[in-house]
């Protein structure tokens, strides 16, 4: 199943509309303005919060946490000991690790578990700026989790790029 992420398309805040491949509203990433740290909520079409995405504060390395029902679901960090510059590791609460690698800034990357492709993120199918697809490859995968990972990784890479430009 493919999901179309249209980030930064709404005028208010950091909201991202997400549609399924049939054009139906599937998710909304709701940016919470005026917070001390970066907080986003992935909501279903009825407005229920599925996953909360939070910037981790005061850590040695930049990280974002994903929470479901106020319990930590995962932590996302840049993989430091990697030859690939755009490589992130997602550590789930049960210790399972997912690898995220590719050209993050170009929205061309993949999410894998032990070498098996879970999701492919690509902008190649779309000409609209700030629009990319999250194709969930495995039927038993959690689309909300994979979309949340993609949004976090893109956000973290953009923040790093902005910080490098300002330095």
């Amino acid at each position: 199943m493919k999901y179309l992420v249209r980030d930064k398309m709404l005028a208010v805040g950091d909201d991202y509309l997400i549609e399924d491949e049939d054009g139906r509203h599937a998710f909304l990433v709701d940016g919470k303005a005026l917070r001390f740290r970066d907080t986003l909520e992935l909501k279903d079409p009825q407005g229920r919060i599925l996953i909360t995405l939070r910037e981790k504060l005061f850590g040695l390395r930049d990280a974002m946490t994903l929470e479901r029902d106020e319990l930590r679901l995962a932590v996302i960090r840049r993989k430091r000991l990697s030859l690939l510059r755009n490589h992130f590791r997602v550590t789930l609460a049960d210790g399972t690790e997912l690898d995220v690698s590719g050209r993050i800034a170009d929205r061309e990357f993949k999410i894998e578990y032990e070498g098996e492709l879970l999701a492919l993120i690509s902008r190649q199918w779309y000409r609209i700026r700030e629009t990319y697809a999250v194709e969930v490859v495995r039927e038993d995968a959690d689309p909300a989790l994979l979309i949340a990972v993609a949004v976090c990784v893109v956000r973290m890479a953009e923040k790093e790029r902005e910080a490098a430009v300002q330095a």
Side-chain angles (χ1 to χ4, degrees):
M1 172 69 85
K2 256 186 217 168
Y3 296 91
L4 180 63
V5 180
R6 295 181 186 188
D7 60 356
K8 299 182 184 174
M9 292 296 282
L10 298 179
V12 180
D14 286 330
D15 293 347
Y16 304 79
L17 286 176
I18 301 171
E19 299 173 345
D20 66 15
E21 59 193 345
D22 297 321
R24 292 183 305 250
H25 177 100
F27 301 100
L28 170 71
V29 178
D30 185 6
K32 296 298 172 188
L34 304 173
R35 299 248 175 135
F36 180 63
R37 64 181 174 174
D38 207 1
T39 302
L40 305 166
E41 294 173 341
L42 182 66
K43 296 179 177 181
D44 68 10
Q46 291 74 38
R48 291 183 299 254
I49 299 170
L50 301 174
I51 299 178
T52 302
L53 301 74
R54 296 187 199 280
E55 181 179 33
K56 200 168 182 188
L57 293 178
F58 309 118
L60 295 175
R61 298 188 306 186
D62 290 335
M64 288 192 79
T65 60
L66 304 178
E67 299 171 2
R68 181 176 278 154
D69 299 324
E70 298 185 25
L71 298 173
R72 190 178 82 210
L73 179 62
V75 176
I76 303 170
R77 291 185 174 90
R78 178 176 289 287
K79 189 173 179 184
R80 296 294 181 194
L81 300 174
S82 173
L83 297 175
L84 298 173
R85 191 173 143 243
N86 290 307
H87 198 168
F88 290 80
R89 172 160 288 143
V90 180
T91 305
L92 301 178
D94 67 2
T96 301
E97 292 185 342
L98 307 179
D99 284 316
V100 181
S101 62
R103 297 186 328 268
I104 308 295
D106 294 333
R107 312 304 197 266
E108 298 290 338
F109 58 98
K110 59 188 174 181
I111 303 171
E112 296 178 305
Y113 169 67
E114 293 186 350
E116 184 179 347
L117 184 64
L118 299 178
L120 185 61
I121 292 76
S122 181
R123 181 183 278 172
Q124 73 181 7
W125 299 296
Y126 304 99
R127 300 278 183 238
I128 303 169
R129 187 184 157 124
E130 302 299 337
T131 301
Y132 57 95
V134 176
E135 182 177 3
V136 178
V137 176
R138 282 190 45 170
E139 289 185 25
D140 62 341
D142 180 353
L145 173 63
L146 296 173
I147 289 168
V149 167
V151 168
C152 282
V153 168
V154 166
R155 195 165 187 90
M156 291 171 73
E158 285 179 354
K159 282 189 164 203
E160 287 178 4
R161 189 180 72 212
E162 288 170 9
V165 169
Q166 292 175 357

